[in-house]
Amino acid sequence: MLKKKKMVLLIRGLRLLEQQMLCLFLPILLLLAATPVKAGGVGFCYGRFMNNLPAPADVVSLLVAKSITKIRIFDNDQSVIQAFANTNIELMIGIPNGDLSDFQTETQAATWVSSYLAPMATDTKISIISVGSEVVTNYPTYTSFLFPAMKNIHTALAKAGLSQIQVTTANSMAILQDSFPPSAAVFNQSFATSFMKPLLDYLHSIGSFVMINAYPYLAYTVDSSRVPLDYALFQAQQAVVDPNTNLEYNSLYDAQLDALYFAMESTGHSELKVVVSESGWPTKGDQGESGATLQNAQTYNNNLIARVVKDVGTPHRPDAAIDVYIFSLFNENLKAGEESERNWGVFNVDGTPIYKLDLEGVNTSTPTTSTNSTPAPPTASQNLTTNNVGGTWCVARPGVSNSSLADGINWACGQGKVNCTLIQEGQACYQPNTFQNHASYAYNSYFHDNGGNAASCNFNGTAVTTNTNPSYGSCIFASSSVSSSNTNGTSSSTSLHHSTFHWSFRIIPIALAYKYAGCKL
């Protein structure tokens, strides 16, 4: 009996000691619980469409020297992937759109994973597979191949014991119907139900995330009269206000990312993480690309990096962690199209920087020294929206190749029976003499001639509707009213932003924590 009483007293003593120890260390435990456990990171896109391409081993040496730990390649080239073996660099690889048809059965995907990918994954940190890129908006002929490929590859990875590799796809900002105000953003109605909702549902089901290619530069280039340069460069002096939420936006990137978040929420998916799979600014451009300067590229990318490093979220999602991949490591001199297409790089091929890039995110106020004229910033009460000018126009989609635009122009001015006199040399709409400008005029004329029917603004995915009047000088673009909700997106100001840290626990009030722990204050 005596032994039993001693045992009870011993247990009580241990319990008291345990409680005293808990109370002693509770403040430390609470602090640790509130410690950020995951931060967004900065990565780079490693494009290789160039004839002076450095050896993959040299590229890896550059990345290691610069402490860059995230890289995206746009294919799954074995020689490139193997160069990253036994490094700390996380690799996003791609399945090009033209290869999606090779993954239409589980057997095809399983063979590729087991015989090709798995051996490389032993020594290489392959973390993401981007299955296709901008398919539904820019390459719609591949849309039917996308979901089967994603599902079959994910299944094959799971069976091969590679579930740590996540499967997703990259999208352009054209998936949004409108982007301002952000709170009213929805997905493009022509594929919101048939594509975006099933995509988000599937990404949720496999624990994956949404990827978006976000380029404020493109929005500025298309609509520089209404998108101030400082707003596109994270340097707006006065905030732009969302009239529905009263949230204030100091950058185009923030407004566009929040537009994506609101559109996702409209489909019931507020839980999905977002990764910015491409963003950047070119250092050089053609005559009609005055914003493409070295100074602007330096300003944009340094400010973008600083936001990741310093945990700056968006007004709507201040605590959402986001990885950002800057486009691009090198200039790609074999790319077609405007001069800007070949000048997105941040490093020369010998590894020297094209401009000073602050990878530590210390400098957030790089001055813009470009002499290009800049529209005045919006006032604090102004809503930067393209929906307040009246009418609808059809213009060439930014980033489309000149060859594709040439095909569109030829069709519109030929079979489409558009009067293209004004884009001939010496006429009012000839200058700027670019495919982008001439295609926009031809596309809009066809769109107007067909009564503003949304279906007439497509041109194999190279056209997009906008509520901003593209007219300039004596070159007048006829206005139309969209006669169907089946539009293919707008070119209104939209892009993305990031935020980084996210908390592992809610911060519990100390007094309440002490009460639950049985401690005395």
Side-chain angles (χ1 to χ4, degrees):
M1 185 68 175
L2 184 61
K3 289 182 178 181
K4 184 175 181 181
K5 288 183 178 180
K6 287 182 177 180
M7 184 63 69
V8 171
L9 291 174
L10 178 61
I11 292 173
R12 287 178 178 174
L14 290 173
R15 287 177 176 171
L16 179 61
L17 178 61
E18 179 183 29
Q19 184 182 42
Q20 290 174 340
M21 293 295 289
L22 174 62
C23 294
L24 178 64
F25 289 103
L26 183 59
I28 298 176
L29 293 173
L30 290 172
L31 180 62
L32 291 174
T35 299
V37 296
K38 181 174 177 56
V42 177
F44 284 83
C45 297
Y46 174 16
R48 309 194 310 280
F49 201 46
M50 50 202 293
N51 60 13
N52 54 351
L53 187 66
D58 294 334
V59 175
V60 172
S61 296
L62 169 65
L63 300 175
V64 172
K66 298 295 184 181
S67 299
I68 295 170
T69 59
K70 293 179 182 293
I71 283 293
R72 178 188 180 190
I73 65 173
F74 296 91
D75 55 20
N76 49 85
D77 186 285
Q78 187 175 45
S79 64
V80 176
I81 295 174
Q82 288 179 331
F84 289 86
N86 303 309
T87 69
N88 193 41
I89 299 172
E90 292 185 18
L91 198 59
M92 182 198 306
I93 67 174
I95 305 296
N97 295 335
D99 294 344
L100 295 178
S101 60
D102 296 335
F103 298 88
Q104 297 304 291
T105 68
E106 288 190 10
T107 300
Q108 287 176 310
T111 300
W112 180 78
V113 168
S114 62
S115 63
Y116 186 77
L117 187 68
M120 292 188 289
T122 302
D123 301 317
T124 306
K125 295 180 68 175
I126 301 172
S127 59
I128 303 169
I129 299 178
S130 176
V131 183
S133 180
E134 301 186 343
V135 172
V136 72
T137 53
N138 293 354
Y139 307 95
T141 55
Y142 296 105
T143 302
S144 62
F145 297 116
L146 181 61
F147 284 131
M150 291 179 68
K151 294 174 181 178
N152 291 331
I153 291 173
H154 179 263
T155 298
L157 289 170
K159 291 182 177 179
L162 298 173
S163 296
Q164 77 277 11
I165 300 177
Q166 293 183 289
V167 172
T168 185
T169 187
N171 299 282
S172 77
M173 289 303 298
I175 59 175
L176 296 180
Q177 182 76 32
D178 292 296
S179 61
F180 202 92
S183 59
V186 293
F187 290 117
N188 189 309
Q189 294 304 297
S190 62
F191 49 73
T193 302
S194 62
F195 181 84
M196 287 310 304
K197 182 63 164 62
L199 174 62
L200 299 182
D201 289 346
Y202 179 66
L203 294 176
H204 171 81
S205 72
I206 62 174
S208 189
F209 50 86
V210 176
M211 289 209 306
I212 194 77
N213 296 339
Y215 289 103
Y217 166 77
L218 297 179
Y220 168 75
T221 300
V222 168
D223 198 11
S224 59
S225 64
R226 295 194 56 80
V227 179
L229 181 60
D230 59 359
Y231 187 63
L233 295 174
F234 301 100
Q235 293 187 321
Q237 299 302 305
Q238 295 175 293
V240 177
V241 180
D242 184 323
N244 300 324
T245 62
N246 288 324
L247 293 174
E248 296 185 350
Y249 292 90
N250 293 298
S251 75
L252 175 59
Y253 193 65
D254 281 343
Q256 294 179 336
L257 183 54
D258 272 356
L260 176 65
Y261 282 132
F262 277 110
M264 290 166 55
E265 290 171 12
S266 72
T267 68
H269 286 289
S270 60
E271 80 293 347
L272 288 172
K273 176 183 174 181
V274 169
V275 168
V276 179
S277 41
E278 293 178 33
S279 191
W281 197 284
T283 56
K284 187 186 300 184
D286 286 327
Q287 181 180 356
E289 300 178 303
S290 61
T293 69
L294 187 147
Q295 293 85 359
N296 290 343
Q298 178 177 335
T299 299
Y300 179 84
N301 282 331
N302 279 331
N303 284 333
L304 178 60
I305 292 171
R307 298 173 78 81
V308 178
V309 173
K310 295 184 177 181
D311 185 23
V312 180
T314 65
H316 183 53
R317 292 282 187 91
D319 299 318
I322 291 188
D323 294 336
V324 177
Y325 289 81
I326 293 175
F327 189 89
S328 176
L329 273 181
F330 307 110
N331 289 331
E332 297 178 82
N333 61 7
L334 294 182
K335 281 192 169 182
E338 291 79 6
E339 183 67 19
S340 63
E341 283 296 305
R342 295 176 287 280
N343 290 281
W344 291 83
V346 299
F347 293 106
N348 294 304
V349 293
D350 62 0
T352 58
I354 294 176
Y355 50 82
K356 185 177 180 181
L357 194 66
D358 181 14
L359 294 173
E360 295 181 355
V362 175
N363 183 7
T364 60
S365 58
T366 307
T368 301
T369 58
S370 171
T371 58
N372 299 317
S373 59
T374 305
T379 63
S381 61
Q382 177 183 350
N383 292 323
L384 190 62
T385 169
T386 58
N387 293 330
N388 59 1
V389 288
T392 302
W393 292 263
C394 178
V395 296
R397 185 185 298 279
V400 175
S401 69
N402 281 347
S403 60
S404 296
L405 294 178
D407 290 340
I409 295 171
N410 290 336
W411 190 93
C413 299
Q415 186 176 343
K417 300 181 180 180
V418 166
N419 184 349
C420 293
T421 302
L422 290 183
I423 58 175
Q424 302 303 311
E425 186 170 2
Q427 298 299 314
C429 298
Y430 177 72
Q431 295 290 349
N433 182 20
T434 65
F435 284 95
Q436 183 81 24
N437 180 60
H438 292 177
S440 293
Y441 181 86
Y443 289 359
N444 185 71
S445 297
Y446 181 81
F447 178 65
H448 177 71
D449 291 348
N450 285 272
N453 189 303
S456 64
C457 184
N458 185 283
F459 293 89
N460 288 327
T462 66
V464 62
T465 57
T466 178
N467 299 121
T468 299
N469 191 343
S471 302
Y472 59 93
S474 58
C475 180
I476 306 302
F477 284 60
S479 172
S480 303
S481 297
V482 176
S483 60
S484 168
S485 61
N486 185 27
T487 57
N488 64 334
T490 72
S491 60
S492 57
S493 343
T494 351
S495 184
L496 258 102
H497 163 68
H498 98 278
S499 59
T500 22
F501 286 135
H502 118 144
W503 304 95
S504 55
F505 298 92
R506 292 182 181 274
I507 300 176
I508 305 172
I510 290 180
L512 191 59
Y514 269 86
K515 175 182 177 182
Y516 285 143
C519 305
K520 293 183 179 180
L521 291 172

